[in-house]
Amino acid sequence: MGGVHINTMATKKTSSRRRAAQDDRFGAASARAGAAESAESASPATATATATANAAPASARGLQVLADGADTALTPAAKAYNRELARIDKLKAQIARTDALGRSYQTAMQSLLAPLYERRDALRREMVALLVPHVDDKRLSKQQRQTVRQLICAFAAVLAADGDAEMARLHDKYSPQTLAEIEQQERAAFAQMASKMLGEEISAPEAEAGADASHEDLMMRMFAQTKAKMQEQQEEWEQEKAARKKKPRKLSAAQQRAEAAQQEAESTLRAIFRQLASALRPDRAASDDERQRKTELMAAANRAYQDKDIVALLQIQRDAALLDPAQAQLPPEKRLQALTQLLKQQVLELEQERYARQNYWEHVLDIDFGYRFSEAGLRRWLQDLQEEVQTECEALAHDVALVRDGKRLKSWLNEQHRLAQEPDFFDIDILPPRW
């Protein structure tokens, strides 16, 4: 006998996955708009390769130090500088590929899963329509009628989470609590838990967010508030720990060298930016075209300096023809060391960005634990997800046919009651989003 078995974990994921499949905020629409018509039926792997090629960042390879002739070997400082440039190129390519991979699988979700989600929602609505007449069916036992109500509320809550106003009305009609009351309880429970954990009150965000704010938005605001409080407490603890120290410890020789290297690096960064700012003043341009060019380059230089993007600054310096070719071939060792220090810092930032982008797409796509964010891992995840939703649709279709027939309705309701005893079966609260 088939079972509806509305697992709450699956239903909570369904809404976010459907939003990921339908929502173009994350770049799927723009990616499709720029693609050729033949790419519409391309596999995610092909789409990823195309998007990665289109979004490839400017290479830092042109900034590398080259040996002055076949018989001249690069110095250790030049080799270290070139090595960091290569690492930056690799990390930027990985970030571009991560975004391309996420967009391509979001598009694949839309084409593969959206029709299945529509079919499943239609079956859920049909099931609700079939069950409503049995709410007060005297041929059913009290327990069976209660199971009918619970099933209606569970299905209606899932559909209401996607904006179905009629399902929200039906849920509130047959449930002892309205959806709004349930969501309010969830927020209050989270606020109580967070306040107890932090030792200070987490305020409700309703007044700040406004009357039109969704439950998910309110939960996100509470998570952000909790995270900020935790960070504030951590900073206070670190300040108190530093204040307890009687006197600063003397820096070791290695620490002193590192501090000197950092100061030299920051001085080099400022010197490059000042040179650009002086050379790219638009008011010194001889023509309108040159003024436009200098304005654009200066805007790019300002962004790069603010982000401490030394590669971008060096590329602007090169493009503006402000660097002596002889100096570009063999820069002084001290300058190379300072530039390498800046490049190492940029490498660390890019590694953090790569990690953040992967987490972002894992959250947007709602990827289950156990799947790697890679071409092979996402392909397997999407195939498994498609099979899971297809299986769910088949089970729903079987149960809809059984309820419509009516002959085995009582035994089916008894089976649903048994399944309802499993943990979380009729629990329709919404899990908070992952960070």
Side-chain angles (χ1 to χ4, degrees):
M1 177 183 297
V4 174
H5 195 73
I6 312 176
N7 181 278
T8 55
M9 187 65 72
T11 56
K12 291 162 190 170
K13 284 183 174 292
T14 294
S15 295
S16 56
R17 281 171 176 161
R18 184 186 290 106
R19 283 192 292 271
Q22 294 175 343
D23 200 343
D24 282 332
R25 288 177 298 170
F26 305 102
S30 59
R32 288 195 301 274
E37 292 183 1
S38 59
E40 291 181 359
S41 59
S43 67
T46 303
T48 300
T50 302
T52 304
N54 292 338
S59 173
R61 187 177 300 275
L63 300 173
Q64 287 186 341
V65 175
L66 305 176
D68 189 12
D71 298 331
T72 304
L74 290 176
T75 64
K79 290 179 180 178
Y81 169 79
N82 287 349
R83 187 163 53 248
E84 295 306 317
L85 285 174
R87 291 178 67 189
I88 285 175
D89 268 352
K90 182 178 180 180
L91 285 166
K92 286 184 175 180
Q94 289 172 344
I95 292 169
R97 177 166 176 78
T98 295
D99 284 337
L101 197 60
R103 290 190 184 97
S104 66
Y105 272 87
Q106 186 182 43
T107 304
M109 283 181 69
Q110 184 177 38
S111 62
L112 294 176
L113 297 182
L116 289 175
Y117 287 148
E118 290 176 6
R119 183 190 174 207
R120 184 175 61 184
D121 284 352
L123 288 166
R124 285 171 171 170
R125 290 186 179 89
E126 185 175 359
M127 178 66 83
V128 170
L130 290 169
L131 288 173
V132 165
H134 295 289
V135 168
D136 297 316
D137 191 341
K138 301 303 181 183
R139 295 170 298 176
L140 302 179
S141 68
K142 182 178 179 181
Q143 176 185 289
Q144 289 167 342
R145 290 197 299 273
Q146 179 63 23
T147 301
V148 168
R149 285 176 173 267
Q150 289 177 323
L151 285 167
I152 291 172
C153 290
F155 279 121
V158 174
L159 293 165
D162 289 318
D164 192 321
E166 175 59 20
M167 289 296 113
R169 186 191 67 79
L170 279 174
H171 173 277
D172 292 351
K173 178 179 179 180
Y174 294 112
S175 172
Q177 287 183 299
T178 66
L179 288 171
E181 291 170 344
I182 293 171
E183 291 171 350
Q184 177 61 41
Q185 282 186 351
E186 289 174 7
R187 295 194 293 274
F190 176 80
Q192 183 179 9
M193 178 202 68
S195 299
K196 185 177 180 180
M197 178 181 67
L198 294 170
E200 57 182 289
E201 185 178 356
I202 295 296
S203 60
E206 283 85 344
E208 177 189 344
D212 295 332
S214 66
H215 176 58
E216 184 178 14
D217 179 54
L218 292 172
M219 289 295 291
M220 285 289 288
R221 286 172 179 268
M222 294 177 74
F223 263 82
Q225 189 182 158
T226 303
K227 187 178 180 181
K229 291 281 188 183
M230 292 176 66
Q231 187 173 355
E232 182 181 328
Q233 289 183 356
Q234 177 67 20
E235 290 173 355
E236 290 176 357
W237 178 82
E238 290 175 353
Q239 290 173 0
E240 291 173 1
K241 182 180 177 182
R244 285 195 298 267
K245 293 182 179 179
K246 294 182 180 180
K247 59 180 181 179
R249 290 191 304 174
K250 185 178 179 180
L251 296 177
S252 66
Q255 289 174 326
Q256 289 177 3
R257 288 194 297 271
E259 187 174 313
Q262 179 62 28
Q263 291 175 355
E264 182 66 28
E266 292 176 358
S267 176
T268 301
L269 183 70
R270 285 194 299 271
I272 292 173
F273 176 71
R274 286 170 181 169
Q275 182 201 26
L276 287 171
S278 176
L280 295 175
R281 287 180 55 177
D283 58 336
R284 294 180 180 175
S287 65
D288 290 343
D289 289 343
E290 185 182 357
R291 184 179 298 106
Q292 178 66 24
R293 174 175 171 273
K294 285 188 173 185
T295 300
E296 292 173 356
L297 285 173
M298 195 61 236
N302 279 323
R303 288 193 301 270
Y305 183 66
Q306 186 176 14
D307 296 338
K308 292 188 176 181
D309 187 344
I310 185 60
V311 169
L313 281 174
L314 291 174
Q315 286 172 333
I316 295 167
Q317 190 182 52
R318 179 197 59 194
D319 294 343
L322 298 176
L323 191 61
D324 182 3
Q327 186 185 15
Q329 288 295 321
L330 289 173
E333 291 295 290
K334 192 174 181 180
R335 182 175 185 273
L336 270 180
Q337 291 169 357
L339 290 175
T340 301
Q341 178 72 13
L342 292 168
L343 291 174
K344 286 181 178 179
Q345 294 171 9
Q346 192 167 348
V347 164
L348 290 176
E349 292 172 359
L350 286 171
E351 286 174 342
Q352 293 171 356
E353 183 181 352
R354 178 184 60 183
Y355 179 74
R357 295 306 296 171
Q358 181 171 321
N359 279 350
Y360 169 80
W361 282 111
E362 286 174 349
H363 171 70
V364 167
L365 298 175
D366 201 12
I367 299 170
D368 289 321
F369 178 77
Y371 293 93
R372 292 185 60 190
F373 191 87
S374 63
E375 183 66 51
L378 287 178
R379 188 187 309 114
R380 182 168 63 88
W381 162 76
L382 188 56
Q383 289 172 348
D384 291 349
L385 182 58
Q386 186 179 9
E387 291 175 5
E388 174 189 323
V389 180
Q390 181 66 49
T391 300
E392 188 178 354
C393 287
E394 292 170 359
L396 269 171
H398 172 273
D399 289 324
V400 163
L402 189 149
V403 173
R404 187 189 300 113
D405 179 66
K407 294 179 181 178
R408 299 171 61 188
L409 176 62
K410 291 184 178 182
S411 60
W412 180 80
L413 288 172
N414 291 338
E415 175 67 7
Q416 299 310 306
H417 176 73
R418 184 189 67 78
L419 290 173
Q421 308 312 306
E422 297 182 2
D424 290 333
F425 182 75
F426 286 120
D427 179 17
I428 59 174
D429 60 322
I430 301 171
L431 285 178
R434 290 181 294 171
W435 286 99

